[in-house]
């Protein structure tokens, strides 16, 4: 299930590094005992849309839209219940509408734009993590491995999982670029670059919901 929130204009400046505030509000609406706090993130959320950069922050004079997606529809229902109980969002914004978005048609090979930036990392020999950006072919292996892990956790068969592959679209048509963001003092690098997901229509739909790459529960890797 994908829910699109329509938010009122902000009354406080939105800092560039605000993804942790979105995460915090999402879990507030889902409730303190929600199952999404820990474990593998079978959900994703995009970035706030409609902002203008003014000074050292963002403003949304016409409000904003925000997409939140769940593999399990029950979580989407819980989200809406939480919003109905408390429409306050963040930075003076409130939820005007919560709309369930229709599923598009999914195919065995699907090109997706990203709703934010995609994070891919590998572990170095010294146990630190190296960020792999869109121009590094190794990133495709990481994206594929993470999605397959989520598919198995969601109950997909081994056969269907092994058919699934993810790769960045490496051409200038997608206007790829690197994005750097900080979450609670930790810096992350991601790629704003379209991705191609190949598999079955069920697996491309799954990717559309849960996102691609790491940190999808923190605002990275959501797909349009």
């Amino acid at each position: 299930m994908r829910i699109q929130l329509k938010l009122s204009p902000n009354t406080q400046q939105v800092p560039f590094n605000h993804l942790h505030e979105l995460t915090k509000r999402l879990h507030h609406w889902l409730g303190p005992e929600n199952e999404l706090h820990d474990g593998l993130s079978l959900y994703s959320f995009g970035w706030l849309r409609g902002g203008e950069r003014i000074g050292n922050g963002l403003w949304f004079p016409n409000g904003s839209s925000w997409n939140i997606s769940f593999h399990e529809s029950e979580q989407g229902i819980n989200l809406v219940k939480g919003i109905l109980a408390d429409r306050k969002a963040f930075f003076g914004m409130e939820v005007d509408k919560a709309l369930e978005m229709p599923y598009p048609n999914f195919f065995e090979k699907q090109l997706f734009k990203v709703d934010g930036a995609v994070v891919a990392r590998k572990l170095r020999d010294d146990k630190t993590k190296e960020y792999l950006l869109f121009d590094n072919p190794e990133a495709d292996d990481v994206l594929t491995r993470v999605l397959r892990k989520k598919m198995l956790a969601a109950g997909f068969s081994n056969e269907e999982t092994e058919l699934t592959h993810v790769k960045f679209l490496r051409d200038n048509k997608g206007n790829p670029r690197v994005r750097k963001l900080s979450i609670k003092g930790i810096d992350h690098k991601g790629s704003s670059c379209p991705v191609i997901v190949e598999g079955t229509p069920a697996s491309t739909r799954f990717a559309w919901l849960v996102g691609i790459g790491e940190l999808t529960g923190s605002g990275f890797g959501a797909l349009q």
Side-chain angles (χ1 to χ4, degrees):
M1 176 183 286
R2 172 166 292 185
I3 303 295
Q4 184 175 89
L5 303 185
K6 298 293 186 180
L7 304 174
S8 64
N10 59 311
T11 59
Q12 306 165 27
Q13 186 182 61
V14 180
F16 297 125
N17 292 314
H18 62 266
L19 288 182
H20 65 284
E21 294 293 342
L22 275 59
T23 305
K24 183 167 66 175
R25 201 60 188 172
L26 172 60
H27 286 288
H28 168 79
W29 284 325
L30 291 170
E33 304 301 323
N34 78 80
E35 300 175 353
L36 303 184
H37 269 299
D38 302 305
L40 206 57
S41 298
L42 300 183
Y43 66 101
S44 64
F45 62 87
W47 293 3
L48 298 178
R49 296 296 171 185
E52 300 177 7
R53 179 171 182 163
I54 300 177
N56 60 347
L58 299 170
W59 289 89
F60 297 82
N62 298 313
S64 179
S65 61
W66 184 28
N67 291 333
I68 307 170
S69 305
F70 303 93
H71 168 58
E72 296 181 349
S73 295
E74 181 182 356
Q75 299 293 352
I77 295 171
N78 291 338
L79 173 69
V80 173
K81 288 179 179 178
I83 291 170
L84 290 174
D86 182 4
R87 290 180 175 269
K88 292 181 181 178
F90 26 65
F91 309 110
M93 295 177 168
E94 294 190 355
V95 179
D96 290 333
K97 295 179 181 179
L99 307 172
E100 181 179 354
M101 303 303 290
Y103 286 106
N105 293 323
F106 293 99
F107 304 96
E108 293 179 350
K109 183 176 182 180
Q110 197 96 16
L111 172 65
F112 293 104
K113 294 181 180 179
V114 296
D115 192 0
V118 176
V119 171
R121 301 180 292 189
K122 72 174 183 179
L123 198 64
R124 298 188 180 98
D125 293 337
D126 62 1
K127 305 302 180 183
T128 60
K129 290 185 176 181
E130 177 185 353
Y131 287 83
L132 306 175
L133 301 175
F134 66 89
D135 56 353
N136 189 335
E138 285 188 78
D140 297 347
D141 295 333
V142 173
L143 300 183
T144 297
R145 184 168 65 249
V146 172
L147 182 59
R148 287 178 175 180
K149 183 178 180 180
K150 291 186 177 185
M151 290 177 66
L152 290 174
F156 281 80
S157 68
N158 289 324
E159 292 78 11
E160 193 166 10
T161 299
E162 289 298 318
L163 287 173
T164 303
H165 300 271
V166 186
K167 62 181 178 181
F168 281 117
L169 179 64
R170 294 182 178 87
D171 62 26
N172 292 326
K173 294 180 182 178
N175 191 28
R177 56 180 174 151
V178 177
R179 303 294 295 267
K180 297 180 181 180
L181 286 171
S182 177
I183 298 179
K184 294 184 177 180
I186 300 176
D187 294 330
H188 299 286
K189 287 195 295 185
S191 301
S192 287
C193 178
V195 298
I196 298 170
V197 181
E198 296 183 71
T200 65
S203 61
T204 55
R205 168 177 162 164
F206 179 75
W208 184 73
L209 291 171
V210 305
I212 290 296
E214 299 182 55
L215 303 176
T216 61
S218 297
F220 292 93
L223 301 179
Q224 297 188 54

